[in-house]
Amino acid sequence: MTTPSPAHDLLTVTGLSVKLRTASGPATVVDDVSLAVAPGRILGIAGESGSGKTMTGMTLVGLPPAGATVTGSIRLDGRELTTLSEPGWAAVRGGQIAMVFQDPSSSLHPMLTMGRQLTDHMRRHLGLSRKAATTRSAELLDLVRLPDPKGALRLYPHQFSGGMRQRVAIAVALAAEPRVLIADEPTTALDVTVQAGIINLLDELRHDTGMSILLVTHDLGVISALADEIAVFYGGRIVESGTAAQVLGGARHPYTRGLLEALPRLSTETRRDGRGFVPIPGVPPTPGSLPAGCAFHPRCAHAAPACQESRPELLPLAEPPAWHRLACHVDPWRP
Amino acid sequence: MTVVGHRKDQASALAPAWWRRPFPRYVRRRLGSSALILLGVTLVAFLLTTVVPANPETANLGQRALSDPETVRRFREHYGLDRPLPLQYLTYLGNLLRGDFGQSQQTLRPVSQDLLQFAPATLELVLSATLVALLVGVLCGVAAARRRGGWFDRITRLASLTGVSLPIFWIALVASVVFFRGLRLLPGSGRLDPALVKPPQVTGFLTVDSLLAGDWHAFGSAVSHLVLPSAVLAVSVVGMVLRFTRTAVLEALGTDFVKAARAKGLRERDVLWGYAVRFAFGPLVTATTLSFGFLLAATVYVEQQFSWGGIGQYAYRSSTNLDLSAVMGVSIVIALIFVLINLAADLLYALFDPRIRLR
Amino acid sequence: DQQPAAAPGGDTLVVDTAFNAKSLDPARMFQPTDFYAESALYDTLLKFKGNDLKAPVPNLAESYEVSDDATAYTFRLREDAVFSDGSPVTAADVVFSYNRLKNVKASPAFLMDGLTVTAQDDHTVVIKAERAVPELPSLLTAPNFGVVNADQVKAQGATDAEGADKSDTAERYLNTASAGSGPYVLEGYSNTSQIALTANPKYWGTKPAWQRVVIRNVTAPQQQLLNVEGGESQIALDLSGRQAQGVDRSAFTVTSDQAPEVLYLAASRAKTSATADPEVLAAIRAGIDYQGLLQVAGPGTVQAAGLVPQTFVGALAPTEAPKYDPELAKELVARSGVTAPKITLDYASDYHRLAGLDYATIAQRIQSDLKKIGIEVTLNPAPTATSLQRYVDGQTELALWSYPPDFTDPANLVAFGPGGFLAKRVHWSEKDAPEAAKLTESALAAKGDARAAAYQAWQRVLNDGGPFLPLLVPTTVTLSSARVTDVARNPITGIDLGAVGKKQS
Amino acid sequence: MTISPAAPLLQVRDAVVEYTRTDRPAVRALAGVSFQVAEGEMVGVVGESGCGKSTLARAMTGLAPLASGEILFAGRPVEPLRRRRRPARLLPLQMIFQDPYASLNPRRRISAQLADVIRATGKGAPGHRPIGDLLERVGLPAAAADRYPHEFSGGQRQRIAIARALATQPSLIVADEPVSALDASAQAQVATLLRKIAREDGVTLVLISHDLAVVGALCDRVVVMYLGEIVEDGPTERVWHAPRHPYTQSLLRAVPVPDGTGRKPMALAGEVPDPGRPPSGCRFHPRCPLAMDPCREEAPSHGDVDGGGSVACWAVHSPEARANAIRA
Amino acid sequence: MTRTLTDTDAAVARRPRLPIRGRAAEFVAVAVLLAWLVVIVAAPLLAPHDPLAQDAAPLSGPSAQYWFGTDAAGRDVFSRVLYGARLSVPLGLVLVAATAVVGTVVGLLAGFFGGWVDEVLMRVADVVFAFPVIILAMAVAASLGPSLTNAVLASVLVWWPAYARTVRSVVLGLRESEFVLANRLAGVGSVRSMFVDLLPSVAGPVLVLGMLDVGAAILLLSGLSFLGLGARPPEPEWGAQVSESLQYFDQWWLAVFPGLAIVTVVLAFNIIGDALRDRLDPKLRQAGEHA
Ligand SMILES: Nc1ncnc2c1ncn2[C@@H]1O[C@H](COP(=O)(O)OP(=O)(O)OP(=O)(O)O)[C@@H](O)[C@H]1O
Ligand SMILES: Nc1ncnc2c1ncn2[C@@H]1O[C@H](COP(=O)(O)OP(=O)(O)OP(=O)(O)O)[C@@H](O)[C@H]1O
Ligand SMILES: [Mg+2]
Ligand SMILES: [Mg+2]
């Protein structure tokens, strides 16, 4: 695995913050996030519910919630996106950066045919004729392994199973040949058997099209299967990042460790002595009322006094490979 | 497959294939329940006319004739008022099936003929009011939803609430005084300039009939007569259409598929009209049905004020005069229109929302 | 003929009225609006000229002779009169029409009670009566005596034979086409929206000034006013005096005529009703503030002195009208056998026909007046049908009504006499008032100049303790636009449409 | 509760549950399911979405009436819940639902909801616990009783639901996807709590989940369902390490492992068929890598396998078929 | 805050508060309603004249003595408008309350018992819903006599299906909802669960529907009075006053003031109902009406 240099990166996010006005005052739901994805690679974003994963994804397609303040920089192939006007964004969205949503049933319009939903933006972005767009739609559906792609164009979303719907949603996202795909929990609503198919599909797609994928999920298994690099979110910040092997194989942040420990383990021994599932105590924080210092410290078994005082920076770990990064004052698993 | 399932399949095997497809099945089911409702309505109408203690002859014989028992007896016999109730009902139902609603003691014509004359007048009025309300309501509703909480949203909210808060009989009066008497802008009664000859009745809608007859003069007159009463009617329902549209569009704007459509890079206009408003179709059909039902009742006031000569006036007149056949006929026709509109709404709903068809 | 007859407002006379219409069959109709149209479609033997009700003038009949005992009349028909199809009007047509009226046995059949009609020759008709009928010339002006073209209607199922009530089927035809000799022919009839007439091209008299007449149903009087003001119509028939007050007299003509009917209170003599007590009845008579009532009723209305309206022969002089005397009324109530009398007053809530008079207002006024003398009145408004039924069935205690005359003669009103069909509604029989009953008889029998005195005597007895309390005679107001001239209004037949003139602008 | 140790606590015999749908063939959500749960056991039920897991749970507690077959609790039939009050003898048979947001009345305080159940069970019953105790038992402060459901997180609500089940002093709890709607850490918390209750209070647990890992980490025995039928049943270790049914094998291979190695899970071909029109023969055959002629024609019956449990598969139970399969 | 088991019975679900913060229209609406409430309570003190006394010159315009002029019978229009509130507002509320009670009971029965009970009740509701109100009101007025009470009765007869359907759909949803099932599994009786779990859930939707309907109810009753099927003279009902004014339209004050009275009251109720709907459930109305 090579260390990507910034020059190679297709999408670079630096110091991205999203501030919302909520009923209980302003809340920073994404805080100083920096990411980079190279062409053909998959960056996994992991973290519990509410940690700001979706918000990050939506901001990257220029669709933060109304009234949000976005700071920082988003660069696509060197071009700054945060300064774009709405029409400018509309050209980037779908055409350059596309998004797949978590729930395939709700992200497709129930009253429009698949054909219509596949072609309308394709015609806009690629300037295709209706006929050409239809042909291409069928090809796309074939690409995502939908049986009878031509017939499927005339069908409505409810006529498909969940897994097929997610394939269609992916096809919709791919329709205008985007260079970056943001997949927000693309398999969470699906069965494992179906999920396996989608995982393989995404993997093939990035190889075949050279597309970069930002894979947002709380399922570490899915991340492990797909991601080249991983960023772990907690309370809107990245607490640890690195290659999949580094983060999952040699996790250094107590939170990352906690997540891994909390996973159910298939083993008789752990079940007998009750170690199968080690929960992280406490509940995730809500944005707007994050604890001072390290946001994780109230739930952390290794918390030191310093953790309550200052927020740890996300810093590269001293030893190579240099881009395994960690935000922890204590770093209890330092080798 | 169970035995029951088999039998059913065999029975329906005789029907053509399309008839067994989900949509026609749905239509059939809805038709059946509509017929049941109408049967219920005939029964209620019939029962009502029998509980009313006053005698129809009072309204229909002169003061002197009323005091002559022989005249009264002849009258009752002629209208079958002397037979036992269940028999009267069965006879009535039988006649209904043949399209015979009996004879109106008021107009001395077959009730069916009266209804054919008056119902189109009312339908023309109610339909044009509905159209106006839909046009204004949808446009303003979408605009209000787009800028939720903005000044336009707030103004239309207040305006639509005001619209539903105005007593129709009162605004009809006010409108007629202001636009007819005061400003002399619009005609204030009837459906056509009385000096003009009515175009031959085809649809019963004067606007349509005059066009069919190529009579521009009559068309202009019919339209100008339509403006005031239908505007008055529209005022009371435009708010409902607007609010339904606004709510539905707002709901749609919050859904994942609108987010997804935006994320596809569609223009905001396309997202709004192609995705969000499209989703509002169901609520819009509901709003239209509701307002149509409401207007059907409200025409009683408006027709009175504008001497419209429709089914509303007929209903009022025949019920105050205890013209029993007419009362029954008019109830059934109003219910029929109501049921048909609801049926049409459900079918439209099913046609436009593919999820419903297979239910 | 689908083209408009003329540009709007050109040759069409539009008359607005609140419809009370049923049928244009002369043998069956009895509603005011039908009378208006009927008199333009069918000629009668005699008619009243304009609004002068004192003596009928010739119409289809050139002249008539009457026997001394007033039981036999001989009418001489004019020879130039023709029906709208061009055929001449003959005595046979008259006999057919009158016999049909009798035998169809519809509401107006009573008009023929005791009369036999025969044709002496082609143009002479003889009418014989069982009793003296001094009122016959007036009677014959009623539109029900309109002469129909016998051949034309026989072809449409009409018959004048016995049993016509079953066998006559011409009514439907007569509601789509007319078969008369009047200045207009029927173009279209709807008894709920409009009646359209076109000038009869074969009319034997002076051709009407207006080519077309549309009588429209405009229920709200105020709307009628708006329509005339706005030029949509030329004549409004149902305004009250008050409504006509604001009209610009330079641009419109307002004419007033006293109504041919009297608004009265009918007090029940049933034992259960407080009104059966003569003192209570007298107290009500004295306790009504007639002047206040006039004020409420609006300009033009006058107090009724008796049951016969001023326009008829035999009306009482205004000075004989009951007087308002609240002190006396209170005393009467105190003296009466009823303590704190409670009375229900019935009236028809939807009855505005009488000269725009609002029964509700009048009833409320009476309620308020009677309260002051210690009688508590509960109002019971109901739609005409219900209210009238209660009255007919004798269930009302106090009821507010008027009696629309069938013809303009006091003989039409004897039903108010004890035992008459109106008196029965308040349980008043001959036994209760033998003196009044006798006077009724003699009034009916009186002839010539004696009639007036006889009817006056009759009314004086009725006013003195009878159960009917005459209240008001309202004014009917006719509003017409400046384009219209010669608008004379007969209380029964309405505007003589054939005589209405047009001002050329 | 005294039952003979020999008799299983819950017996499901050939249970069939059908849902009728207008205009379409009825769904046989359970197409003849038989299994037993012994006292003190922790049994897991796994399978894909729509295979009838929830239906089984509902049938076991009497919420879904059986079309045929029977279900016995403590030796007596579980009557379907109709409008009558549930008989006292069934109260020890409780259920926990998937959606922690729907399983509590949002308009009532926790205390009121628990009190209802306590009253229904009988306040004076031996071993009955006051509300505070119940809440503390599930790891919540007693003061939580005064609050409304919306003031709690999903995991906390699920604990309250467990507390409500505990109020009836249950001997068997059927938990239908109790942790599926929860976050990883909350999942672990609730799962741990369930196991603690089962171990410490001696409550028998039937845990339904589509997540194999959860079942594997908690249960002694696993039941694998496919399209309304049980295809494999056995001790967790055996099923995990030596799955015999091709479906179980595929299921296990489809689970991604978070080890950072990038190993891809294996997909199972095809879609779950419409349960209203199940395939002939073995219901799994259209998707089965080992499918052969007998599979298409006749449904296999359950047969015991080495290492415990049973499997319904032609490839396992007919040697010649197996040989054919291998040859092919 | 500690609670013992014994007082859990008294633990009544907390109603959502009526939030009126930050919205001028709602403030004004509440103020208007409060003003009308004062009028209703204190009409005899506020009205300068007896609303029934016919002391004045008929049809005189607004003046210092008669602020809103006098009517055809010589009564003070201002006093009549004030007294009119005593009829319209309470009766509108009574109508809605009665309708809601009838509809809720029917809906509960239909939803709870299901089967043929449900089928019959809902078919009856369909028929009633399709039947024209005016004709029913006419029939009631004709058979029982026109009066406001009878107008209310007739209106209840045709209006309850709206509530019955809403309640039924809520009940159907709830009957299968997990918290009801869980309680029933834990031995809570179905009647108790109906009252404890269903009623509060039904109360919200019914309350919203009711608030939205008060305005419509006032309009309906005044409309029936306008047609002569409601208030009985000399009752100073607003609709009846407008109807009396039809005879005289140069006397604009006769129609304008009672009309404005109706509009202010109804608008105020509608604004508040609308706000309540927004807060409680934006989609409720549609769900209830498209059953
Ligand atoms: N429109 C919004 N207004 C206010 N707060 C919001 C909005 N959308 C999201 N949030 C809050 O922002 C935080 C981050 O949300 P986000 O959806 O990004 O989380 P997530 O990591 O995707 O969680 P999940 O796994 O549940 O999808 C959450 O606490 C959420 O409550
Ligand atoms: N009320 C119902 N009416 C009709 N069909 C139903 C009903 N409930 C379930 N089904 C059908 O029965 C089958 C089994 O459903 P069930 O809910 O038991 O599956 P499940 O295994 O619990 O699925 P999931 O993992 O999605 O919860 C499915 O095909 C489902 O569509
Ligand atoms: Mg998310
Ligand atoms: Mg389930």
Side-chain angles (χ1 to χ4, degrees), chain C residues 16 34 54 140 148 152 253 307 339-340 391 399 426 457 472 483 501:
Chain C
D16 283 0
D34 295 325
K54 297 292 182 242
L140 290 185
V148 300
Q152 188 186 344
T253 318
L307 287 165
T339 42
Y391 183 35
V426 292
L472 310 170
R483 298 185 52 227

Side-chain angles (χ1 to χ4, degrees), chain B residues 49-125:
Chain B
T49 54
T50 59
V51 298
V52 173
N55 297 323
E57 58 266 22
T58 332
N60 297 287
L61 294 176
Q63 286 224 23
R64 186 181 291 269
L66 261 182
S67 297
D68 174 10
E70 179 54 23
T71 315
V72 172
R73 193 196 57 74
R74 262 203 312 276
F75 177 88
R76 293 188 66 85
E77 192 186 286
H78 184 244
Y79 288 102
L81 298 168
D82 50 351
R83 273 172 293 160
L85 282 185
L87 199 68
Q88 281 186 45
Y89 179 61
L90 286 182
T91 319
Y92 183 67
L93 266 192
N95 290 342
L96 267 190
L97 287 180
R98 280 183 277 112
D100 175 6
F101 285 73
Q103 198 186 7
S104 159
Q105 298 141 14
Q106 280 284 305
T107 63
L108 297 172
R109 300 194 307 171
V111 172
S112 53
Q113 206 177 322
D114 281 346
L115 293 171
L116 274 182
Q117 182 190 336
F118 300 128
T122 298
L123 278 180
E124 185 178 28
L125 179 60

Side-chain angles (χ1 to χ4, degrees), chain C residues 220-223 225-226 229 240 242-243 245-247 292 295-297 347 349 352 356-358 360-361 364-369 371-372 378-383 386, chain E residues 50 52-59 71-75 80 138 141-146 227-235 243-251:
Chain C
Q222 157 216 54
Q223 190 74 39
L225 173 54
L226 287 179
E229 282 183 341
S240 68
R242 172 106 52 204
Q243 286 159 340
Q245 265 177 333
V247 172
Q295 209 183 10
V296 168
Y347 66 91
S349 53
H352 296 301
L357 212 57
D358 183 15
T361 315
Q364 292 179 57
R365 188 78 193 190
I366 292 169
Q367 179 188 41
S368 153
D369 283 349
K371 191 172 179 193
K372 290 186 190 135
T378 313
L379 300 184
N380 185 29
T386 321
Chain E
D50 178 349
L52 302 183
Q54 313 189 352
D55 307 329
L59 300 175
D71 70 4
R75 294 170 297 205
R80 286 178 73 73
M138 263 321 307
S143 49
L144 305 176
L227 292 179
L229 306 175
R232 204 184 263 245
E235 286 175 323
S243 149
E244 285 163 18
S245 83
L246 285 182
Q247 302 278 318
Y248 319 96
F249 69 22
D250 281 327
Q251 289 74 17

Side-chain angles (χ1 to χ4, degrees), chain B residues 129 132-133 159-160 162-164 166 171 230-240:
Chain B
V132 171
S160 52
T162 310
V164 293
L166 294 171
I171 36 167
S230 51
V232 164
L233 282 178
V235 162
S236 54
V237 288
V238 69
M240 174 161 56

